[in-house]
């Protein structure tokens, strides 16, 4: 969620996967020689981490000859990959399962909410099976139980080396680890996805190389705790292309930075060694973009959350980062209305926003998610007060966002094109992550394709988005992805 507007029913579900599945379904219909029993409906809910799980499940199903369709009526059964992060996401998952049951009748449930099988079956007792997150083999085995396995044809069942993607061709999510070792009191992710398990660095780099070969020119590096990469294996040395590489965030970023792609870091926990990544951004090896969830500014509230830091130390770190890399864009998320949060502590958070001048910010009211330890803390905040604080927070950050975007007017940026509609091209600068941050409108520009890049000058900005015109310069021609 951005500062654009607050929706109490906001979830973490992205729009992109649904659109990509619809496009793939159209391709299946055009061929339409596949028997009905090989057609599977798929709904991917939740965040980019869940999206990667969906891609892995779909890749295995496609390898085996199953086809993915976007409508319930065309499917022999439906898989729903659920989210259980916040209450609104849980409700969205339950509603989607119910819709799939009503429209199709045969539903397999997987994903984060799957660890709460009793809760799902209490509402929807007729689902075929339920599995938890990253249970790829179990999901495919459940499909085998309820649908005949297609006859394998190596000439028809072709899957690219990079597998099935649920993102446009030019960008992809690169998941580097699973699980989390932290026990933030507001979060239940470790109970869903377990402790940190880092992927071998050679495996991660090989996947990045395959994605590059497939036309990807932007990698969004994700995990539950990206900067903890390698902690669980004590940063052991692996090999890639015959060279030793440590399972460590900095070395991973250095190697990714050699691949001539935009490398964007998400979900970065504020460890001290994050400071070592800023020079890589200043040198242009990875994007000067840092998604780092601070959650609050008051030291007492952070301690109750079991989060590190305090306002003064964080402001000082941000100042030093910007000294090293003035172009740095910082995105963060915060929680207001945490149990026991006083008016003075909330005011400290607003003061922090003014001082930090963060570029992109999301904010949630504290939600007593079932299983979160913070639910047991004394002095819960009244919902009306939460609403007021959220509104005040958003008003402050909206003004900050507006001014920081206004400061870009007159500057030139390399814009990656995401889409072209009736008004022209829509793209992003290095400072905008897809489906999370704002966009750049290039009205009247039609002779471009998604994935291409062009240089453009910013001519207008509002609180969220930018407007630009292409730079008329021989050295700034459109760059093919």
């Amino acid at each position: 969620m951005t500062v654009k507007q607050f929706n109490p029913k906001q979830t973490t579900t992205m729009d992109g996967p649904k659109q990509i599945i619809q496009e793939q379904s159209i391709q299946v219909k055009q061929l339409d020689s596949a028997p009905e029993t090989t057609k599977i409906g798929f709904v991917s809910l939740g965040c980019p981490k869940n999206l990667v799980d969906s891609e892995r499940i779909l890749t295995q199903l496609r390898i085996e000859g199953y086809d993915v369709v976007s409508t319930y009526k065309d499917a022999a059964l439906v898989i729903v990959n659920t989210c259980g992060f916040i209450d609104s996401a849980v409700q969205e998952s339950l509603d989607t399962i119910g819709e799939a049951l009503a429209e199709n009748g045969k539903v397999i449930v997987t994903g984060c909410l799957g660890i709460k099988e009793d809760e799902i079956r209490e509402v929807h007792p007729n689902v075929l099976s339920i599995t938890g997150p990253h249970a790829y083999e179990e999901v495919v085995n459940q499909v085998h139980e309820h649908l005949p396995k297609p006859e394998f044809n190596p000439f028809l069942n072709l899957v690219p080396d990079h597998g099935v993607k649920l993102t446009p061709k030019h960008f992809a999510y690169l998941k580097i680890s699973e699980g989390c070792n932290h026990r933030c009191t507001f979060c239940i992710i470790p109970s869903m996805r377990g402790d940190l398990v880092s992927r071998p660095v050679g495996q991660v780099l090989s996947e990045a190389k395959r994605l590059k070969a497939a036309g990807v020119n932007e990698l969004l590096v994700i995990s539950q705790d990206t900067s903890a990469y390698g902690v669980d294996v004590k940063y052991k040395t692996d090999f890639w292309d015959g060279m030793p590489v440590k399972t460590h965030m900095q070395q991973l970023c250095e190697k990714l930075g050699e691949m001539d792609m935009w490398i964007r870091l998400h979900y970065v926990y504020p460890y001290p060694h994050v400071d070592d990544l800023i020079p890589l951004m200043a040198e242009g090896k990875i994007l000067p973009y840092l998604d780092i969830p601070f959650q609050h500014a008051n030291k007492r509230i952070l301690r109750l959350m079991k989060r590190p830091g305090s306002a003064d130390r964080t402001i000082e770190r941000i100042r030093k980062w910007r000294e090293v890399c003035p172009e740095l864009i910082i995105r963060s998320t915060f929680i207001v209305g945490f149990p026991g949060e006083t008016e003075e502590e909330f005011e400290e958070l607003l003061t922090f926003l003014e001082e930090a001048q963060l570029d992109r910010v999301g904010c949630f009211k504290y939600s007593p998610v079932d299983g979160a330890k913070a639910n047991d803390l004394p002095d819960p905040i009244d919902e009306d007060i939460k609403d007021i604080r959220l509104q005040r927070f958003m008003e402050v950050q909206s003004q900050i966002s507006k001014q920081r975007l206004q400061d870009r007017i007159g500057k030139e940026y390399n814009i990656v094109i995401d889409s072209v509609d009736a008004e022209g091209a829509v793209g992003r600068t290095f400072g905008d992550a897809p489906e999370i941050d704002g966009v750049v409108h290039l009205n009247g520009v039609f002779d471009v394709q998604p994935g291409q890049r062009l240089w453009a000058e910013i001519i207008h900005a509002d609180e969220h988005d930018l407007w630009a015109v292409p730079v008329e310069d021989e050295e700034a021609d459109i760059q093919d992805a």
Side-chain angles (χ1 to χ4, degrees):
M1 182 171 68
T2 70
V3 295
K4 187 172 292 187
Q5 66 180 58
F6 170 66
N7 178 355
K9 295 183 180 180
Q10 181 80 33
T11 69
T12 58
T13 294
M14 308 174 72
D15 294 328
K18 182 177 180 180
Q19 180 179 344
I20 299 296
I21 288 174
Q22 288 174 339
E23 292 171 0
Q24 292 176 353
S25 179
I26 291 172
Q27 295 172 1
V28 171
K29 281 190 174 182
Q30 289 173 343
L31 298 172
D32 219 10
S33 60
E36 294 296 321
T37 53
T38 68
K39 296 180 179 179
I40 295 175
F42 200 101
V43 182
S44 183
L45 304 176
C47 65
K49 297 178 283 281
N50 227 32
L51 179 149
V52 173
D53 291 348
S54 295
E55 290 177 336
R56 291 178 179 173
I57 294 169
L58 288 172
T59 295
Q60 185 58 40
L61 291 173
R62 287 292 295 120
I63 287 172
E64 295 187 2
Y66 294 98
D67 288 303
V68 179
V69 294
S70 61
T71 60
Y72 295 129
K73 66 181 180 64
D74 293 328
L77 63 76
V78 178
I79 299 171
V80 179
N81 191 7
T82 60
C83 177
F85 179 54
I86 53 178
D87 287 346
S88 55
V90 171
Q91 190 59 52
E92 179 189 34
S93 294
L94 292 173
D95 290 346
T96 302
I97 294 167
E99 179 181 86
L101 282 169
E103 296 293 329
N104 182 278
K106 295 182 178 180
V107 178
I108 290 174
V109 176
T110 189
C112 289
L113 189 60
I115 67 164
K116 299 182 179 180
E117 180 170 355
D118 291 344
E119 182 176 333
I120 295 172
R121 289 202 180 276
E122 183 178 346
V123 182
H124 302 299
N126 296 326
V127 295
L128 297 177
S129 67
I130 299 173
T131 58
H134 53 88
Y136 321 120
E137 292 184 8
E138 293 179 59
V139 174
V140 174
N141 288 338
Q142 287 298 322
V143 171
H144 293 162
E145 282 197 21
H146 299 283
L147 292 183
K149 197 171 180 180
E151 182 177 347
F152 181 77
N153 186 329
F155 299 103
L156 294 178
N157 304 129
L158 298 177
V159 177
D161 287 344
H162 61 272
V164 174
K165 286 175 69 264
L166 294 180
T167 55
K169 181 179 178 181
H170 60 285
F171 70 82
Y173 293 98
L174 181 67
K175 187 191 280 190
I176 62 174
S177 65
E178 189 58 81
C180 182
N181 287 344
H182 298 291
R183 296 297 182 264
C184 301
T185 57
F186 56 82
C187 181
I188 59 172
I189 292 298
S191 67
M192 294 178 172
R193 292 185 172 263
D195 290 337
L196 176 73
V197 179
S198 298
R199 293 179 63 194
V201 67
Q203 185 183 106
V204 173
L205 291 169
S206 293
E207 181 178 346
K209 187 176 181 179
R210 289 194 300 271
L211 290 167
K212 165 78 174 177
V216 170
N217 62 18
E218 178 179 0
L219 286 178
L220 298 96
V221 180
I222 61 170
S223 67
Q224 268 69 48
D225 180 3
T226 298
S227 45
Y229 180 64
V231 168
D232 56 314
V233 293
K234 299 181 180 179
Y235 306 119
K236 77 173 185 177
T237 299
D238 196 358
F239 287 87
W240 183 68
D241 275 2
M243 298 293 291
V245 185
K246 279 191 175 181
T247 311
H248 188 278
M249 191 64 200
Q250 183 176 347
Q251 288 206 17
L252 174 64
C253 287
E254 288 172 352
K255 290 299 181 182
L256 290 173
E258 296 172 1
M259 294 189 183
D260 191 27
M261 291 186 281
W262 280 7
I263 307 299
R264 190 184 302 278
L265 304 182
H266 286 278
Y267 314 117
V268 178
Y269 197 84
Y271 291 109
H273 70 255
V274 171
D275 298 351
D276 298 329
L277 301 178
I278 307 303
L280 298 180
M281 298 179 181
E283 294 164 12
K285 294 183 177 179
I286 61 177
L287 289 183
Y289 180 100
L290 200 55
D291 176 359
I292 185 163
F294 293 120
Q295 306 298 5
H296 211 278
N298 175 263
K299 182 177 277 189
R300 188 184 76 88
I301 295 297
L302 287 169
R303 195 160 51 241
L304 291 174
M305 290 179 170
K306 288 197 173 180
R307 297 284 297 183
S310 64
D312 291 344
R313 283 189 295 168
T314 301
I315 291 294
E316 179 61 19
R317 288 185 77 188
I318 291 173
R319 183 187 65 78
K320 290 181 178 179
W321 292 343
R322 286 175 171 156
E323 285 180 357
V324 175
C325 183
E327 294 296 310
L328 178 64
I329 298 293
I330 302 177
R331 149 167 281 283
S332 191
T333 52
F334 294 87
I335 297 172
V336 298
F338 193 78
E341 181 190 59
T342 66
E343 177 62 24
E344 291 75 16
E345 289 165 339
F346 174 69
E347 289 282 355
E348 183 179 340
L349 176 56
L350 296 184
T351 300
F352 171 84
L353 288 180
E354 296 281 8
E355 293 180 357
Q357 292 288 299
L358 304 177
D359 300 273
R360 301 290 189 180
V361 170
C363 186
F364 295 89
K365 295 187 302 180
Y366 174 74
S367 174
V369 179
D370 185 32
K373 291 188 176 181
N375 298 342
D376 299 328
L377 292 173
D379 304 319
I381 306 301
D382 185 82
E383 287 298 320
D384 290 341
I385 295 177
K386 288 183 188 178
D387 290 335
I388 292 170
R389 289 180 181 174
L390 179 62
Q391 182 178 359
R392 290 169 61 194
F393 180 102
M394 302 295 260
E395 288 172 353
V396 170
Q397 182 56 37
S398 290
Q399 290 304 309
I400 294 170
S401 175
K402 180 178 181 180
Q403 185 56 56
R404 293 191 70 80
L405 291 178
Q406 289 288 326
D407 291 343
R408 297 198 200 181
I409 294 176
K411 296 181 180 179
E412 296 177 5
Y413 293 92
N414 197 210
I415 311 297
V416 61
I417 303 301
D418 284 331
S419 63
V420 181
D421 58 26
E423 295 185 355
V426 180
R428 294 174 289 112
T429 71
F430 72 87
D432 306 303
E435 290 202 54
I436 297 175
D437 299 322
V439 298
V440 180
H441 298 278
L442 294 144
N443 293 345
V445 176
F446 298 99
D447 57 341
V448 291
Q449 298 293 325
Q452 289 182 323
R453 295 181 190 166
L454 57 80
W455 283 92
E457 179 183 346
I458 306 301
I459 59 171
H460 178 69
D462 62 15
E463 295 177 4
H464 325 291
D465 299 329
L466 300 167
W467 280 257
V469 293
V471 175
E472 297 295 338
D473 190 304
E474 292 182 0
E475 296 181 359
D477 290 336
I478 295 171
Q479 303 172 14
D480 288 330

